[in-house]
Amino acid sequence: MLADYYPLSPYSRELNRWIAWQFNRPEQGDGVIQAFRRPKSVEEVARYKLRGLAPQARYAVTDLDTGQLQTLTGCELMDDGLPVTIQTQPGAVVLTYKQLK
């Protein structure tokens, strides 16, 4: 990916930890989040604070597996964080986001 890279979680190889990162293209107003739930993680939901977004802009966030769409502001995504659900152990999710006009 040719984009700004942001780790969203501390790096860990422990099997009970999630790991996630973000690729952000500020010029295009879009990006990708990849999150991985490892086999011994008991949490089904993690919350990640995104980076590099326009605080007042609105973003459409789409889960590529389910097609589920959320609309949140840059401020919400950066300050409150994006809730990410992975029900399987192990499991992974890829989310895209795009700034709305």
Side-chain angles (χ1 to χ4, degrees):
M1 301 242 9
L2 298 175
D4 296 341
Y5 167 77
Y6 299 107
L8 298 177
S9 63
Y11 177 77
S12 173
R13 294 180 62 187
E14 294 182 36
L15 296 178
N16 64 343
R17 301 277 182 179
W18 285 53
I19 193 164
W21 47 76
Q22 170 191 1
F23 294 99
N24 184 49
R25 300 189 313 170
E27 297 82 15
Q28 290 85 357
D30 64 5
V32 174
I33 299 119
Q34 296 175 302
F36 302 87
R37 180 182 177 192
R38 297 220 173 98
K40 295 186 179 178
S41 172
V42 296
E43 296 89 12
E44 286 189 11
V45 179
R47 185 174 290 272
Y48 295 109
K49 293 183 178 184
L50 303 188
R51 298 173 51 194
L53 306 181
Q56 300 307 317
R58 297 190 61 74
Y59 290 86
V61 181
T62 304
D63 181 318
L64 291 184
D65 289 325
T66 66
Q68 181 180 8
L69 177 71
Q70 301 177 64
T71 302
L72 300 157
T73 66
C75 187
E76 289 171 318
L77 291 166
M78 293 189 297
D79 292 346
D80 301 333
L82 175 67
V84 177
T85 301
I86 301 176
Q87 296 178 344
T88 59
Q89 294 171 261
V93 67
V94 178
L95 305 161
T96 62
Y97 59 89
K98 182 155 184 65
Q99 185 175 341
L100 300 173
K101 303 279 180 194

